[in-house]
Amino acid sequence: MSEALLTLPPYIKVALPVPMRTLFDYKVPKAIALRHELKPGMRVKVPFGKSSRLGVIVALSDTSDWDPEHVKPLTSLQDERPVITQELMALCEWAARYYHHPIGDVIFHALPVLLRKGENAEFRTENWWFTTPQGQQLPLEQLSRAPRQQDFLKAVQQHPHGLSQHAALILDLAPAAGKTLEEKGLLRREPRSFNKGGEKHAHQTQVPPTLNPEQMHATEHLLDHRHEFNVALLDGVTGSGKTEVFLRVMARLIEEGKQVLVMVPEIGLTPQTLKRFEIRFNTDIVLMHSNMSDRERLDAWLLAASGHAKIIIGTRSAAFIPAPNLGMIVIDEEHDTSYKQHEGFRYHARDLAIKRAQALNIPVLLASATPSYESLTNGLQKRFAWLKLRQRAGNAHIPEMERVDLRGKTLVHGFSEQALANMTLCLERKEQVLIFLNRRGYAPTLMCHQCGWIAACDHCDVNLTVHKRANKLHCHHCDTQKALIHTCPECQSEELFTVGEGTEQIETQLSTLFKDVPILRIDRDSTQRKSAMAKLTKKIHEHDQAILIGTQMLAKGHHFPNVTLVIIMDADAGLFSSDFRGMERTAQLITQVAGRAGRAKKPGHVLLQTYHPDHAAIECLCNLGYEHFAIDGLAERKSLSLPPFYHQVIVRAESGNEHEAMQLLAAMRNDLEPLFSKDVYLVGPYAAIIVRKAGQHRALISIKSAHRVPLHQATQMMSDWLEQSTRQHRIRFAIDVDPLETY
Ligand code: ADP
Ligand code: ZN
Ligand code: ZN
């Protein structure tokens, strides 16, 4: 027995993906301790209840809080090296504390799905074909009687650096022919690790544009501070060349051997964005987003973890990607709400990335044309460097915003006469119109003319949306789908009609008004299939005149140079939201959509259709712009003691029983409020706006404070209380720290 073994701590503390806010102790059997060096971050199989589970070692320990007799030994060790690095383990532990979320769930969230399921953390290997010396010299005519073998050998002869199995498949070469050639000693196979697969070609074709003075100033600031922790807010109007600025800084860091993580919103990663990185950098780029298969995601993770990938472009969960030489984190469209996870482990990827960068002493760059109120406040208070780009890059100009008063006007398919006239002119100039309506489907409501019946979801307190093309009624809250009906279930009348418009309806109606114009709809329904978005954007670039109709998907990051007119069909949609963030979101959305107009040489024009043209918010946004709007909005938040000036936590409870969730939260408030610090303010419990969702009745309680510490303490008490009291009930609870939704 080695000396090392004798000194090795006899216990490990393991995180398991279970909803318990605790670690689990296991013994290390001698047989395992003799052969392996256990480290935090390695996965282990352990007995749990009557079954066995995969867990991650969080710590080695000399003692256990349990009776040693009852501590079970671990079953097997899954890794030779940690899959959660020390750096990421610290980040996970911080996140579990800050978000009051079970550590096991946090750690498992940080791993790619396949690693959660026990897959080896190793590159897959693939066989590559090579010629033997005989195979290289063999004249192809000698195989004329075996054409498949002839094709196969020819292809491999043409690839002196080898031909991958995958490539052979694409070239339609017969696998059997390859095997025969191998048996004849003309070919040989060699397994190669996936990461050596792609050879990079030198293709730095694009000459970067000369920076304008604002871009230059921002770039210099970022370069000067590139080796230390700091957060910069790159606040630039749409099309001002923000991307160009961070590409410059990235280029320098990559030259210095660093890796850069670029975070993008969930549906904001366009094929155009990727292409822009590819033509600029002759280096390995990996993607990490929800449209990839589990294996593709693991491959990307391994390439980042091994340091091979220099650029990692990913959505929210990429905040946890291991990268040994990480040199900077860029968060593009930092205001986007998809950075916050709305279920389970409710973290904010931006805030997590900042925490991570601080620990690594590297910079963070937040970019947006419409920064979140949180980041603007940090800019105003000089915690973030606030770098402004107020000019559009190149020759493009900021589009003009015009309100169209809908009061008393006759509308054609939801359009004012002015909007239709402008649309016609724009199309005649062979330019493109973008129509924004943040409502997918054909119509939001189906109603009976005889008895007033409305099609509603059986599981939620909402109406079903009509999808004519799919012939369905669809609940956008719980995803329930039913066949579209034509007879009223209450009175058997056949006079059912739709109320309101969705993108699908606009598309149908405009195709009768503008017969020869290509009409492209971009929403979640039309882009479900993997390559659909790429095909749509390709079409948009192919045509000169076109009508694009879309939801907020269209607002994100796209660059359509020929769009010169933007019509916002319903500018009032977000004006009367019950959430205090409603105004901020509306202003961001309108500004982002408007920013799609006139991004190239031709000037842009934006029409906002509204029934409230004199509403202070719409007026301010049109005349003074987003920054002014936001600063006014922040003053209001301050006077009302709302975030970001106060910190907030929301506790949600839900139950299949109508009153249970509400009663539980009321009992909690009763028990705990006397124990809370005087600096903590409670509101509720109150019912969610959509009380019943997917069959669950939902209630919330809000708690806020100007100080983090008392808020954190109160939250800890609530979490402990709820964990105790929900053990017997069928009530689920969730803690949402820094919530973005409060209803
Ligand atoms: P943003 O990220 O702010 O929306 P981009 O970086 O995408 O802006 O720039 C918008 C367009 O202007 C792009 O086509 C880009 O290539 C171009 N561009 C950026 N900077 C310059 C510049 N200094 N001179 C000319 N064109 C530029
Ligand atoms: Zn009816
Ligand atoms: Zn529903």
Side-chain angles (χ1 to χ4, degrees):
M1 200 180 286
S2 73
E3 289 295 311
L5 175 66
L6 293 172
T7 56
L8 195 81
Y11 298 105
I12 52 172
K13 295 198 175 284
V14 176
L16 294 172
V18 293
M20 279 177 258
R21 288 162 167 76
T22 179
L23 295 173
F24 298 85
D25 290 0
Y26 291 92
K27 276 183 202 147
V28 183
K30 287 209 175 82
I32 291 178
L34 265 177
R35 270 179 287 124
H36 306 276
E37 191 187 346
L38 272 67
K39 287 184 186 159
M42 291 177 172
R43 291 172 299 165
V44 284
K45 263 221 186 85
V46 294
F48 188 75
K50 289 199 173 70
S51 62
S52 118
R53 291 271 184 142
L54 193 68
V56 174
I57 305 175
V58 173
L60 308 178
S61 175
D62 286 317
T63 56
S64 170
D65 301 336
W66 301 90
D67 177 359
E69 292 296 304
H70 292 119
V71 177
K72 292 182 181 160
L74 70 95
T75 314
S76 62
L77 182 67
Q78 198 78 12
D79 297 305
E80 286 299 324
R81 279 180 305 276
V83 289
I84 298 277
T85 58
Q86 225 174 350
E87 180 240 326
L88 286 171
M89 184 63 85
L91 186 70
C92 287
E93 292 186 275
W94 173 82
R97 278 194 307 275
Y98 184 85
Y99 291 105
H100 293 268
H101 196 75
I103 178 76
D105 208 43
V106 172
I107 289 178
F108 272 70
H109 183 89
L111 290 173
V113 171
L114 288 182
L115 295 189
R116 292 177 212 167
K117 290 181 178 163
E119 184 79 34
N120 286 334
E122 271 157 32
F123 287 107
R124 53 182 158 162
T125 55
E126 187 184 25
N127 277 320
W128 283 59
W129 292 100
F130 296 88
T131 49
T132 59
Q134 303 94 295
Q136 189 58 33
Q137 282 150 17
L138 189 85
L140 288 167
E141 304 84 73
Q142 289 198 14
L143 289 171
S144 57
R145 275 195 286 161
R148 284 162 180 257
Q149 290 178 36
Q150 195 180 32
D151 286 350
F152 209 115
L153 184 65
K154 186 175 166 195
V156 185
Q157 282 183 349
Q158 285 168 349
H159 288 81
H161 300 296
L163 184 71
S164 71
Q165 196 96 294
H166 183 71
L169 208 71
I170 291 172
L171 295 174
D172 213 16
L173 302 173
K179 284 212 183 90
T180 313
L181 291 168
E182 189 180 23
E183 279 156 21
K184 289 183 180 171
L186 298 172
L187 291 184
R188 63 184 174 84
R189 263 187 291 183
E190 193 180 287
R192 274 198 187 177
S193 173
F194 177 81
N195 67 334
K196 309 262 165 51
E199 268 173 43
K200 277 278 148 192
H201 308 285
H203 62 182
Q204 189 159 13
T205 49
Q206 197 194 46
V207 181
T210 311
L211 299 180
N212 66 33
E214 285 182 329
Q215 286 175 311
M216 189 86 85
H217 170 256
T219 308
E220 277 168 4
H221 174 94
L222 296 167
L223 286 174
D224 284 349
H225 297 87
R226 74 183 185 278
H227 293 143
E228 67 207 24
F229 170 67
N230 71 100
V231 186
L233 174 61
L234 186 59
D235 169 11
V237 295
T238 51
S240 58
K242 297 182 289 295
T243 311
E244 192 53 50
V245 168
F246 64 73
L247 290 178
R248 297 289 166 108
V249 183
M250 285 172 66
R252 183 73 70 84
L253 286 164
I254 289 165
E255 267 171 36
E256 293 170 354
K258 298 283 172 45
Q259 294 172 288
V260 178
L261 169 60
V262 181
M263 311 233 351
V264 293
E266 223 149 59
I267 46 180
L269 178 63
T270 63
Q272 286 164 284
T273 317
L274 176 60
K275 191 144 175 234
R276 199 156 163 199
F277 282 91
E278 277 182 339
I279 57 176
R280 188 61 79 77
F281 296 106
N282 181 27
T283 188
D284 282 297
I285 302 177
V286 295
L287 297 180
M288 195 75 170
H289 58 79
S290 54
N291 236 344
M292 291 161 60
S293 72
D294 288 346
R295 184 65 230 191
E296 285 169 336
R297 286 162 73 93
L298 177 55
D299 288 335
W301 187 93
L302 289 165
L303 284 168
S306 65
H308 277 91
K310 295 293 181 260
I311 301 176
I312 302 135
I313 308 177
T315 49
R316 186 176 58 225
S317 66
F320 289 100
I321 202 160
N325 304 315
L326 196 58
M328 173 164 77
I329 305 177
V330 175
I331 301 174
D332 200 12
E333 311 291 354
E334 69 87 27
H335 64 279
D336 198 283
T337 52
S338 72
Y339 286 126
K340 169 94 192 204
Q341 178 138 306
H342 292 288
E343 268 156 23
F345 171 31
R346 294 163 196 250
Y347 66 102
H348 199 301
R350 177 192 60 216
D351 301 343
L352 202 84
I354 292 174
K355 192 74 203 169
R356 186 173 182 192
Q358 192 175 21
L360 291 170
N361 196 28
I362 60 169
V364 179
L365 176 59
L366 310 178
S368 176
T370 53
S372 62
Y373 284 16
E374 282 75 13
S375 295
L376 281 177
T377 305
N378 282 317
L380 287 164
Q381 297 176 349
K382 307 247 184 304
R383 274 194 294 267
F384 295 176
W386 191 355
L387 309 170
K388 296 186 194 185
L389 307 180
R390 287 291 170 258
Q391 303 296 315
R392 275 200 164 172
N395 299 318
H397 293 283
I398 308 285
E400 176 201 340
M401 306 247 270
E402 187 183 347
R403 283 162 281 167
V404 181
D405 186 353
L406 296 184
R407 289 174 298 182
K409 303 274 168 60
T410 315
L411 302 184
V412 182
H413 307 314
F415 292 96
S416 58
E417 211 176 299
Q418 188 183 347
L420 286 174
N422 274 275
M423 215 189 298
T424 309
L425 285 174
C426 171
L427 294 168
E428 276 171 3
R429 290 194 307 266
K430 300 269 179 237
E431 294 167 2
Q432 299 179 346
V433 187
L434 186 157
I435 295 163
F436 174 71
L437 178 64
N438 210 9
R439 206 182 296 133
R440 64 198 171 93
Y442 188 85
T445 311
L446 181 70
M447 194 164 167
C448 171
H449 186 66
Q450 289 305 328
C451 74
W453 170 86
I454 288 174
C457 179
D458 295 335
H459 315 288
C460 311
D461 296 331
V462 296
N463 295 346
L464 293 169
T465 301
V466 179
H467 287 254
K468 266 204 180 160
R469 193 144 327 156
N471 211 16
K472 280 201 173 117
L473 287 167
H474 189 174
C475 175
H476 288 181
H477 292 267
C478 73
D479 217 28
T480 293
Q481 302 191 17
K482 293 180 172 183
L484 187 58
I485 51 171
H486 302 280
T487 323
C488 173
E490 290 289 320
C491 75
Q492 272 64 52
S493 154
E494 292 189 354
E495 289 178 76
L496 296 183
F497 67 104
T498 60
V499 186
E501 290 109 10
T503 46
E504 191 190 318
Q505 186 171 164
I506 301 297
E507 179 189 20
T508 312
Q509 287 168 343
L510 286 181
S511 64
T512 59
L513 283 183
F514 298 95
K515 286 214 169 55
D516 305 320
V517 181
I519 299 186
L520 305 160
R521 175 162 59 93
I522 298 172
D523 57 26
R524 201 143 28 110
D525 301 316
S526 70
T527 55
Q528 245 166 21
R529 248 169 285 141
K530 214 173 176 180
S531 54
M533 190 69 202
K535 279 189 192 143
L536 278 167
T537 29
K538 187 157 170 274
K539 274 196 195 149
I540 294 169
H541 287 275
E542 273 166 14
H543 293 286
D544 39 14
Q545 53 162 208
I547 300 175
L548 325 180
I549 303 167
T551 57
Q552 58 179 340
M553 276 189 90
L554 260 187
K556 296 189 179 179
H558 299 279
H559 185 63
F560 303 128
N562 211 26
V563 169
T564 55
L565 175 65
V566 166
I567 299 174
I568 297 176
M569 291 202 60
D570 181 8
D572 307 336
L575 284 185
F576 306 103
S577 159
S578 45
D579 194 300
F580 69 83
R581 282 194 174 80
M583 280 296 177
E584 178 187 350
R585 298 278 169 266
T586 305
Q588 287 166 345
L589 202 51
I590 290 180
T591 310
Q592 291 285 348
V593 176
R596 301 308 115 199
R599 284 177 63 98
K601 291 175 206 91
K602 299 169 194 159
H605 188 185
V606 183
L607 295 177
L608 288 97
Q609 300 200 131
T610 170
Y611 283 97
H612 305 275
D614 308 322
H615 192 293
I618 295 222
E619 198 164 7
C620 174
L621 195 60
C622 286
N623 295 336
L624 302 171
Y626 179 80
E627 182 180 334
H628 199 110
F629 181 95
I631 287 177
D632 285 357
L634 278 170
E636 192 180 320
R637 295 260 190 103
K638 191 165 194 176
S639 70
L640 297 172
S641 304
L642 288 169
F645 302 98
Y646 269 64
H647 308 294
Q648 190 180 23
V649 171
I650 291 246
V651 177
R652 299 161 200 278
E654 57 176 48
S655 155
N657 177 305
E658 197 178 336
H659 305 293
E660 223 171 21
M662 194 69 107
Q663 285 163 353
L664 179 81
L665 294 184
M668 177 182 80
R669 180 171 179 163
N670 234 356
D671 280 4
L672 298 182
E673 197 175 9
L675 309 174
F676 286 170
S677 145
K678 293 280 171 291
D679 292 334
V680 167
Y681 302 90
L682 285 142
V683 181
Y686 52 95
I689 285 206
I690 298 172
V691 179
R692 196 174 49 116
K693 187 170 161 181
Q696 296 287 309
H697 296 262
R698 307 177 308 147
L700 319 86
I701 195 162
S702 156
I703 154 167
K704 66 178 183 179
S705 176
H707 309 286
R708 286 260 175 219
V709 173
L711 183 68
H712 182 82
Q713 286 165 346
T715 308
Q716 187 62 52
M717 285 157 80
M718 294 194 290
S719 161
D720 292 343
W721 191 97
L722 287 163
E723 205 161 75
Q724 281 297 326
S725 357
T726 50
R727 227 164 250 173
Q728 278 85 27
H729 300 275
R730 305 179 120 241
I731 302 183
R732 287 196 304 182
F733 76 93
I735 291 172
D736 194 348
V737 177
D738 307 329
L740 289 185
E741 285 171 353
T742 54
Y743 48 85

